[in-house]
Amino acid sequence: MESKEDIERVKCLIIGSGPAGYTAGIYASRANLNPVVYEGLQPGGQLTTTTEIDNFPGYPEGVTGPVMMGELKKQAERFGCDCRWGIVTDVNLEQRPFKVKVDGNKEIEADSVIIATGATAKYLGLESEEKYRGSGVSACATCDGFFYRGKDVAVVGGGDTACEEASYLAGLCKKVYLIVRKDFLRASKAMQERVLRTKNIEILWEHNTLELTGENGVEGCTLISKLGTPMEKEVKIAIDGFFLAIGHHPNSDVFSKYVDTDEQGYILTQAGTPMTNVKGVFACGDVQDPNYRQAITSAASGCQAAMEAERYLAEMN
Ligand code: NDP
């Protein structure tokens, strides 16, 4: 049991470390709020699993996700931001100061909290997907694609992520199947064109995944084409890797008892602001944004969250 003296008091606690968390860290430290960032399960966030980022202003030649996140962290640390390993496992946002538990034991009292926990890739929910997780099933082509060099793989999804992952894998693998449940891609025109002109990507239109098979990791996949129509039929493909790219789930579970969310779990903020329904608790980045989900919009909302935290703390004193 920690005594009162062991409980650390923090003026501005930032939970999560993608572009939103680190940008909040830069602004909060420059405003002398002595912020502490808990980096979470994936320090640097989702962008550390991306290759090239070509659309962040100020990088005419592009930049890789890990480099950009490393630089954001360094920039925050330059102004005194305290970035730590650790996962927030419990909160009490009813009491003031707010109570936050890290890694199940360390307790922190925070005068303001900025939630920047991002979103996590969704899975289809198949039993076989669970069975092969880590041995053929992945939700991150840029993390795991390397293991499938010269092999055949499949990517599920029809959005920008799926097209980006398929294009990336096409540069490494012999063949990439893109499994799309509709007869069109939801991705941007530019992304669609990139996929359509890549010779070793084959799009399986109107296909749904039934199960993955294999003795030693994934060796095949059973699909249903034209599900629910008279043309419905079972299709088998031989693959070594299966990549999910069907969207994300916001990482808000630990806060949802206190903070209002929509039906998907995205934290609700007052329009145009990072303000949640709890005064002194702010949300920024993908955990509150089902629409834009870009590094630049996340960073901008991180800035807003830090500025609002500063105003809130000034009013408190
Ligand atoms: P999206 O929600 O845009 O797309 C998800 C895709 O997965 C859809 O095609 C959807 O099908 C499909 N899907 C969902 N559930 C299932 C399921 N159970 N079985 C089969 N297919 C399924 O997610 P993304 O992650 O692609 O993109 C999210 C946001 O991020 C978008 O706004 C996107 O533009 C942006 N983004 C931008 C990038 C860039 O600019 N470089 C890169 C990556 C993402 P259906 O169409 O049938 O619903």
Side-chain angles (χ1 to χ4, degrees), residues 219-265:
E219 291 169 3
C221 176
T222 308
L223 306 161
I224 296 263
S225 79
K226 302 200 184 290
L227 186 68
T229 74
M231 280 109 79
E232 177 176 316
K233 81 169 192 264
E234 213 171 273
V235 176
K236 286 188 191 298
I237 54 172
I239 49 164
D240 303 289
F242 183 80
F243 290 84
L244 280 307
I246 59 166
H248 293 82
H249 175 73
N251 298 320
S252 61
D253 294 355
V254 79
F255 312 104
S256 58
K257 189 168 152 200
Y258 305 97
V259 168
D260 290 345
T261 63
D262 70 9
E263 65 285 351
Q264 289 181 73

Side-chain angles (χ1 to χ4, degrees), residues 46 50 52-55 122-125 156-164 179-188 191 194 207-209 244-248 266 286 290-294:
Q46 290 177 81
T50 319
E52 210 67 25
I53 301 167
D54 283 327
N55 51 12
K122 279 187 191 160
Y123 283 75
L124 292 169
V156 192
D160 278 319
T161 304
C163 290
E164 198 172 73
I179 304 170
V180 181
R181 67 180 173 181
K182 294 204 174 124
D183 62 354
F184 61 88
L185 292 170
R186 192 197 283 216
S188 62
M191 239 14 147
R194 193 157 138 201
H207 281 66
N208 282 274
T209 310
L244 280 307
I246 59 166
H248 293 82
Y266 285 95
D286 285 6
N291 294 319
Y292 300 106
R293 309 184 58 252
Q294 298 299 298

Side-chain angles (χ1 to χ4, degrees), residues 111-306:
D111 295 316
S112 66
V113 169
I114 295 178
I115 304 171
T117 43
T120 302
K122 279 187 191 160
Y123 283 75
L124 292 169
L126 304 173
E127 239 172 68
S128 50
E129 196 181 42
E130 272 303 311
K131 177 173 163 195
Y132 297 115
R133 217 185 260 212
S135 60
V137 171
S138 164
C140 177
T142 44
C143 318
D144 301 325
F146 186 75
F147 303 114
Y148 301 94
R149 279 170 306 161
K151 297 185 172 173
D152 293 349
V153 297
V155 176
V156 192
D160 278 319
T161 304
C163 290
E164 198 172 73
E165 304 269 88
S167 302
Y168 175 76
L169 289 166
L172 290 171
C173 303
K174 186 148 73 66
K175 170 147 195 165
V176 179
Y177 295 98
L178 183 58
I179 304 170
V180 181
R181 67 180 173 181
K182 294 204 174 124
D183 62 354
F184 61 88
L185 292 170
R186 192 197 283 216
S188 62
K189 203 96 201 118
M191 239 14 147
Q192 291 191 28
E193 279 164 10
R194 193 157 138 201
V195 162
L196 291 168
R197 66 167 185 263
T198 305
K199 292 208 166 57
N200 60 339
I201 298 180
E202 180 181 340
I203 304 184
L204 300 174
W205 301 107
E206 295 180 78
H207 281 66
N208 282 274
T209 310
L210 211 56
E211 65 163 351
L212 301 165
T213 52
E215 294 292 320
N216 300 303
V218 171
E219 291 169 3
C221 176
T222 308
L223 306 161
I224 296 263
S225 79
K226 302 200 184 290
L227 186 68
T229 74
M231 280 109 79
E232 177 176 316
K233 81 169 192 264
E234 213 171 273
V235 176
K236 286 188 191 298
I237 54 172
I239 49 164
D240 303 289
F242 183 80
F243 290 84
L244 280 307
I246 59 166
H248 293 82
H249 175 73
N251 298 320
S252 61
D253 294 355
V254 79
F255 312 104
S256 58
K257 189 168 152 200
Y258 305 97
V259 168
D260 290 345
T261 63
D262 70 9
E263 65 285 351
Q264 289 181 73
Y266 285 95
I267 294 178
L268 295 172
T269 50
Q270 278 174 35
T273 81
M275 270 165 311
T276 69
N277 59 303
V278 181
K279 229 170 171 282
V281 176
F282 308 91
C284 52
D286 285 6
V287 73
Q288 52 84 55
D289 177 13
N291 294 319
Y292 300 106
R293 309 184 58 252
Q294 298 299 298
I296 185 71
T297 50
S298 284
S301 67
C303 153
Q304 291 176 317

